[in-house]
Amino acid sequence: MRFTRPFPSRRALLGTLGLLALPARAFAAPAATAPAADAEVWPRALPVPGGVARLSLGPAATRPEAFAGDVPLLVVGDAREWTAVVGIALAAEPGTAHIKVRLPDGSSRPVGYRIAAKRYAEQQLKVSPRTVDLSPEDQARFERERAHQQGVMATFTEPDPAVHASLRMQVPTPGRRSSSFGLRRVFNGQARNPHSGMDIAAPTGTPVVAPLPGRVIDTGDYFFNGNTVWLDHGGGLLTMVCHLSQITVQVGDVLRTGEPLGAVGATGRATGPHLHWGVMLNRAMVDPALFLPN
């Protein structure tokens, strides 16, 4: 799979994708939001912390370049209509936000939108004390792993039309969704970062598959995440699966949707066998449920 070809022709739905883009002169007035009218548009628009905004960029002969700060964004569509698909970080403040679209002369124009408030529930968890109050050795390991994974999360390759014709994903493993995205987690009485993925309860050894075509860009056994695989789907869209009992792929492998990459386990900081599935857009973890039909 290569991420170097232009996007295929596909008419984006202006005004029904959850958000409307604003011309630069109207940037002070954020776009109104509306539910997507086409159930086949993935991911669904939900402009809240941890959600996704779909912003119309209008027509252009070639795919525009768009950025959230300095981070490049996924842009889908064709010459008749382009759409920026923007991941909104869980830490984002509700209110007015904007992206930048680079113009042919090198300047940029802002495209504004509004982030709505969303309150997530709280979850109390009991885990091994050593995974909450880290020893100096474990803290040093965590810092090394965090620096490495920040590099992984910065991956941006050119979009592949075979992948981005539809961003509807397959659930990586069957099972009950045991923990919702965005939960404010309290481990052994100590508050920690919100839950940034979807947990799926399944027995150890249950196969785990690729949710979308992609390239394996990282594998490893990490302190918190356990056995982990990262996939690059192009355009800053990444997925990760954690706590695996085994990994059956290597960095550089190219997978089709549904191809196996490992098996469910309980490695790392886990209360029992399950799969943690994360979806990242422009370096922001977003709700995987927005990529699923239900």
Side-chain angles (χ1 to χ4, degrees), residues 3 7 63 66 71-76 85 155-160 163-164 167 232-238 280-283:
F3 298 107
F7 282 95
R63 179 168 54 88
V71 179
L73 297 171
L74 174 62
V75 177
V76 300
V85 185
T155 299
F156 186 93
T157 53
E158 287 301 306
D160 186 331
V163 175
H164 295 122
L167 294 178
D232 172 25
H233 308 288
L237 176 61
L238 312 177
M280 174 168 280
L281 260 177
N282 50 269
R283 307 184 199 177

Side-chain angles (χ1 to χ4, degrees), residues 217-232:
I217 56 171
D218 188 65
T219 66
D221 180 8
Y222 297 107
F223 183 78
F224 287 119
N225 293 340
N227 290 328
T228 299
V229 174
W230 281 91
L231 296 176
D232 172 25

Side-chain angles (χ1 to χ4, degrees), residues 114-136:
R114 184 176 295 280
I115 301 174
K118 180 175 177 63
R119 180 174 178 82
Y120 291 101
E122 184 177 285
Q123 182 183 41
Q124 300 278 341
L125 294 168
K126 294 293 184 181
V127 296
S128 169
R130 69 175 288 268
T131 64
V132 178
D133 300 308
L134 273 59
S135 68

Side-chain angles (χ1 to χ4, degrees), residues 139-163:
Q139 183 66 37
R141 175 186 173 185
F142 165 68
E143 295 293 343
R144 290 193 303 270
E145 293 176 352
R146 181 170 62 178
H148 168 73
Q149 293 204 62
Q150 283 176 340
V152 173
M153 292 185 288
T155 299
F156 186 93
T157 53
E158 287 301 306
D160 186 331
V163 175

Side-chain angles (χ1 to χ4, degrees), residues 26-261:
F27 174 60
T33 62
D38 187 343
E40 296 303 315
V41 175
W42 310 100
R44 296 190 300 275
L46 183 64
V48 300
V52 173
R54 299 183 64 97
L55 306 179
S56 171
L57 304 183
T62 58
R63 179 168 54 88
E65 292 182 287
F67 300 84
D70 295 326
V71 179
L73 297 171
L74 174 62
V75 177
V76 300
D78 58 32
R80 295 168 296 177
E81 182 68 43
W82 299 99
T83 300
V85 185
V86 185
I88 305 171
L90 272 166
E93 292 291 333
T96 301
H98 75 279
I99 66 171
K100 297 182 296 184
V101 180
R102 182 174 294 166
L103 301 177
D105 64 3
S107 63
S108 63
R109 67 177 177 92
V111 177
Y113 64 103
R114 184 176 295 280
I115 301 174
K118 180 175 177 63
R119 180 174 178 82
Y120 291 101
E122 184 177 285
Q123 182 183 41
Q124 300 278 341
L125 294 168
K126 294 293 184 181
V127 296
S128 169
R130 69 175 288 268
T131 64
V132 178
D133 300 308
L134 273 59
S135 68
E137 295 77 15
D138 288 340
Q139 183 66 37
R141 175 186 173 185
F142 165 68
E143 295 293 343
R144 290 193 303 270
E145 293 176 352
R146 181 170 62 178
H148 168 73
Q149 293 204 62
Q150 283 176 340
V152 173
M153 292 185 288
T155 299
F156 186 93
T157 53
E158 287 301 306
D160 186 331
V163 175
H164 295 122
S166 173
L167 294 178
R168 172 174 169 168
M169 293 189 182
Q170 175 179 328
V171 179
T173 198
R176 178 179 57 85
R177 298 177 191 178
S178 58
S179 182
S180 298
F181 177 87
L183 280 175
R184 294 175 294 167
R185 299 179 300 173
V186 180
F187 290 98
N188 298 355
Q190 299 184 42
R192 290 296 187 265
N193 291 333
H195 190 235
S196 60
M198 175 187 291
D199 282 354
I200 303 172
T204 297
T206 304
V208 177
V209 304
L212 201 68
R215 184 184 303 274
V216 179
I217 56 171
D218 188 65
T219 66
D221 180 8
Y222 297 107
F223 183 78
F224 287 119
N225 293 340
N227 290 328
T228 299
V229 174
W230 281 91
L231 296 176
D232 172 25
H233 308 288
L237 176 61
L238 312 177
T239 58
M240 67 183 300
V241 287
C242 306
H243 307 307
L244 302 174
S245 60
Q246 61 176 319
I247 296 172
T248 59
V249 293
Q250 298 179 340
V251 172
D253 287 350
V254 177
L255 305 179
R256 297 186 298 271
T257 300
E259 283 198 279
L261 54 81

